[in-house]
């Protein structure tokens, strides 16, 4: 289905004021046009635009709950999102998550359009820019697919669930709406091409490297239940110069024990700040989940009683109150453990899981069970990935492949609201405003 795409977010290049370089020139110039390699690279390295990830997957997940008084202070769309409304936004309201992801795609397309013009740039520069652009494009579409599309190839994968896939930054171009199967085919193509051109090392951990590409592909293939591929790409990440932190060495008396840009960080991204819905005195960890931590589990040191006598999380790899959503080495070990277990290689699965757990327990030898079970891997995954923005993805993929369903519960003041964890319930509706712009 083709549409004329009118969304004004594709004017982001002209209206953004946060990029360094050509976008910070004096306002006396009527139109600022990028020309050099550094100009275009500044667009891809713009931290505020490229490294934010959607907040809705966090809000929809069971990682947290909040009180009635906190909920009353939420913006109206946040209140509705907390209660699992499929379109939480007002009819004339721009959905920030959706807009942020398409801004990333637009920035990537600006670079890819420029490269099609065959600029007189060194091949090394061309490859690096193309690799970065394709990585961010794959990452943004994956985030959109997690929110708006069903699992590709499933009974829900029809033209009833589609998103726009602009191939160019030209706002006057005719755009194509694609379903989940088509979108994921392109996501994998972008990511696979990106790893051929991404550098092994980058100046900053906010910039994608080849190991970021491997990690993204491992994450995507785990979601798609392509377990051999997930294991293969995760294994490649281990070739990088990353190392697990020993949580025995962390100072849990500090407000935020995990240091910024620590040795596990492969790519740094963070949860888009949208009010205070993820704040320590707003987002609480369920008490039953807190009780599930073993007394020897050092990760329980990230769970602290707050001013409201509830439990807050302080273990983000941002080193502060913001939430880390990037790719880290602990997630890679969890992917390796789950993927190997699911393809019948239980000894390898145990090796990877226990390597990670040895750095997470005071004395992991006393916590080891005689046989490794899938439930143990998934339990450790949930504890490790708490407040990382990945729980929605896990709930969604497991709803397709696990027979045991569950029901999430929250309260609208005193009224119980439930969310059944089944495939039909994981597709949001594109907001009214964006649907109108697509017509």
């Amino acid at each position: 289905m083709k549409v004329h795409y009118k969304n004004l977010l594709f004017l982001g290049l002209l209206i953004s004021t946060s990029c360094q370089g050509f976008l910070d020139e004096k306002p006396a110039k009527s139109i600022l046009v990028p020309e050099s390699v550094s100009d275009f690279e500044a667009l891809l390295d713009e931290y505020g635009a490229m490294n934010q990830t959607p907040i809705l997957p966090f809000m929809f997940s069971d990682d947290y709950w909040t009180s009635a008084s906190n909920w009353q202070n939420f913006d109206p769309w946040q209140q509705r999102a907390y209660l699992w409304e499929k379109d939480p936004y007002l009819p004339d309201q721009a959905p920030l998550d959706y807009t942020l992801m398409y801004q990333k795609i637009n920035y990537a397309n600006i670079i890819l359009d420029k490269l099609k013009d065959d600029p007189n740039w060194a091949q090394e520069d061309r490859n690096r820019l193309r690799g970065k652009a394709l990585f961010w494009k794959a990452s943004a579409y994956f985030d959109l697919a997690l929110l708006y599309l069903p699992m590709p190839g499933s009974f829900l994968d029809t033209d009833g669930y589609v998103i726009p896939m602009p191939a160019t930054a030209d706002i006057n171009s005719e755009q194509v709406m694609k379903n989940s199967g088509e979108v994921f085919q392109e996501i994998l193509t972008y990511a696979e091409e990106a790893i051929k051109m991404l550098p092994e090392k980058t100046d900053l951990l906010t910039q994608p490297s080849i190991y970021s590409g491997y990690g993204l592909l491992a994450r995507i293939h785990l979601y798609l239940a392509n377990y051999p591929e997930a294991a293969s790409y995760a294994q490649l990440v281990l070739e990088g110069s990353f190392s697990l932190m020993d949580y025995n060495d962390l100072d849990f008396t500090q407000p935020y024990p995990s240091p910024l840009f620590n040795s596990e960080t492969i790519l740094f991204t963070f949860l888009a700040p949208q009010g205070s819905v993820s704040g320590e005195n707003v987002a609480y960890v369920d008490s039953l989940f807190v009780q599930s931590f073993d007394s020897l589990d050092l990760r329980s040191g990230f769970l602290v009683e707050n001013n409201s006598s509830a439990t807050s999380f302080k273990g983000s790899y941002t080193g502060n109150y913001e939430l880390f959503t990037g790719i880290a080495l602990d997630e890679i070990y969890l992917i390796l453990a789950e993927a190997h277990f699911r393809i019948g290689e239980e000894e390898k699965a145990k090796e990877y899981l226990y390597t990670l757990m040895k750095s997470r327990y005071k004395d992991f030898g006393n916590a080891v069970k005689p046989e490794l079970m899938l439930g143990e891997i998934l339990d450790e995954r949930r504890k490790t990935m708490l407040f990382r923005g990945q729980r929605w993805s896990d709930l969604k993929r497991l709803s397709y492949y696990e027979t045991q369903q569950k029901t999430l519960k929250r309260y609208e003041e005193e009224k119980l609201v439930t969310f059944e964890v089944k495939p039909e319930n994981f597709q949001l509706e594109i907001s009214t405003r964006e649907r109108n712009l697509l017509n």
Side-chain angles (χ1 to χ4, degrees):
M1 178 174 62
K2 293 189 176 182
V3 298
H4 188 70
Y5 200 83
K6 305 174 185 176
N7 198 321
L8 293 181
L9 67 91
F10 288 98
L11 292 176
L13 175 63
L14 299 180
I15 64 175
S16 172
T17 59
S18 59
C19 288
Q20 299 297 315
F22 64 90
L23 295 179
D24 286 334
E25 293 290 336
K26 294 180 180 179
K29 295 183 179 180
S30 59
I31 297 179
L32 306 172
V33 181
E35 291 293 344
S36 68
V37 169
S38 60
D39 287 342
F40 283 93
E41 192 147 37
L43 203 61
L44 290 176
D45 291 345
E46 171 47 35
Y47 171 79
M50 308 307 286
N51 293 81
Q52 294 190 63
T53 61
I55 195 171
L56 287 178
F58 173 76
M59 294 193 69
F60 288 137
S61 80
D62 58 349
D63 267 358
Y64 84 109
W65 66 278
T66 197
S67 66
S69 58
N70 284 332
W71 180 83
Q72 289 168 353
N73 290 325
F74 283 2
D75 289 340
W77 73 266
Q78 294 169 335
Q79 292 179 339
R80 289 188 289 271
Y82 183 75
L83 301 175
W84 299 295
E85 290 284 342
K86 289 194 172 184
D87 177 10
Y89 295 96
L90 297 173
D92 61 347
Q93 190 173 23
L96 186 53
D97 282 357
Y98 182 94
T99 302
L100 283 173
M101 293 309 101
Y102 276 107
Q103 177 178 262
K104 285 188 190 183
I105 293 163
N106 182 50
Y107 283 10
N109 280 339
I110 289 169
I111 275 71
L112 296 172
D113 287 351
K114 179 64 176 180
L115 291 172
K116 288 178 184 177
D117 292 338
D118 195 24
N120 186 25
W121 294 345
Q123 191 63 46
E124 180 182 0
D125 292 333
R126 294 161 63 96
N127 289 346
R128 186 180 64 257
L129 287 175
R130 182 170 179 80
K132 284 184 178 183
L134 290 171
F135 174 90
W136 287 122
K137 197 170 180 180
S139 176
Y141 275 126
F142 183 45
D143 283 335
L144 288 166
L146 292 174
L147 286 172
Y148 297 102
L149 298 176
M151 191 68 70
S154 70
F155 67 100
L156 294 170
D157 186 10
T158 68
D159 287 342
Y161 295 105
V162 293
I163 61 172
M165 290 201 80
T168 175
D170 183 359
I171 63 173
N172 296 312
S173 65
E174 196 173 44
Q175 305 297 337
V176 178
M177 303 290 286
K178 295 190 177 183
N179 62 30
S180 187
E182 296 167 327
V183 170
F184 271 94
Q185 183 178 8
E186 295 207 26
I187 289 172
L188 291 173
T189 298
Y190 297 149
E192 288 163 2
E193 187 174 348
I195 60 176
K196 299 174 184 177
M197 290 171 280
L198 287 169
E200 184 172 353
K201 292 185 178 181
T202 59
D203 293 334
L204 299 170
L205 288 172
T206 56
Q207 301 165 355
S209 67
I210 190 172
Y211 299 109
S212 307
Y214 293 150
L216 177 62
L217 279 162
R219 183 183 277 183
I220 294 169
H221 281 295
L222 182 73
Y223 174 77
L224 297 175
N226 297 333
Y227 300 118
E229 292 86 348
S232 177
Y233 281 115
Q235 185 66 46
L236 289 171
V237 177
L238 300 187
E239 297 177 4
S241 56
F242 312 101
S243 60
L244 291 171
M245 291 187 291
D246 187 343
Y247 280 14
N248 286 284
D249 297 333
L250 296 182
D251 183 356
F252 286 96
T253 66
Q254 294 297 312
Y256 304 102
S258 296
L260 174 66
F261 298 146
N262 59 60
S263 63
E264 296 185 12
T265 305
I266 299 164
L267 178 72
F268 186 91
T269 62
F270 64 100
L271 195 72
Q274 299 182 26
S276 59
V277 295
S278 62
E280 294 174 37
N281 289 311
V282 177
Y284 306 145
V285 184
D286 181 80
S287 59
L288 291 177
F289 181 56
V290 173
Q291 293 170 20
S292 71
F293 283 77
D294 189 282
S295 60
L296 298 174
D297 192 335
L298 292 161
R299 293 169 297 184
S300 63
F302 293 140
L303 307 175
V304 295
E305 186 174 314
N306 58 37
N307 296 335
S308 303
S309 297
T311 301
S312 294
F313 175 76
K314 64 169 188 176
S316 176
Y317 280 8
T318 61
N320 60 30
Y321 61 89
E322 294 180 303
L323 296 186
F324 174 83
T325 58
I327 301 170
L329 191 60
D330 53 0
E331 180 185 357
I332 297 303
Y333 273 94
L334 290 164
I335 291 173
L336 284 163
E338 182 178 345
H340 280 291
F341 187 93
R342 289 186 182 275
I343 61 179
E345 297 177 349
E346 296 183 20
E347 286 305 311
K348 282 189 176 181
K350 181 182 289 190
E351 178 186 346
Y352 287 119
L353 182 66
Y354 288 3
T355 296
L356 174 62
M357 291 303 105
K358 287 174 185 176
S359 67
R360 300 304 188 250
Y361 280 75
K362 293 178 184 177
D363 182 5
F364 185 61
N366 289 330
V368 172
K369 298 176 182 177
E371 292 185 7
L372 179 65
M373 303 295 290
L374 179 61
E376 182 181 351
I377 295 173
L378 295 177
D379 286 346
E380 297 295 356
R381 178 177 173 86
R382 188 176 181 200
K383 291 171 183 175
T384 295
M385 301 297 288
L386 184 65
F387 278 54
R388 294 270 189 98
Q390 297 301 309
R391 179 61 176 165
W392 176 256
S393 171
D394 284 344
L395 288 170
K396 185 172 181 176
R397 68 183 176 92
L398 294 174
S399 76
Y400 283 85
Y401 303 116
E402 303 298 323
T403 56
Q404 185 177 2
Q405 302 295 333
K406 62 185 298 185
T407 300
L408 309 185
K409 299 177 181 179
R410 284 175 174 166
Y411 287 89
E412 180 184 1
E413 297 178 336
E414 296 184 357
K415 179 184 176 183
L416 176 65
V417 179
T418 62
F419 178 89
E420 290 186 70
V421 179
K422 57 183 183 179
E424 299 94 310
N425 291 338
F426 280 90
Q427 286 65 241
L428 277 67
E429 297 175 3
I430 295 177
S431 72
T432 301
R433 178 182 181 273
E434 300 306 312
R435 290 200 306 271
N436 289 338
L437 289 167
L438 288 169
N439 294 325

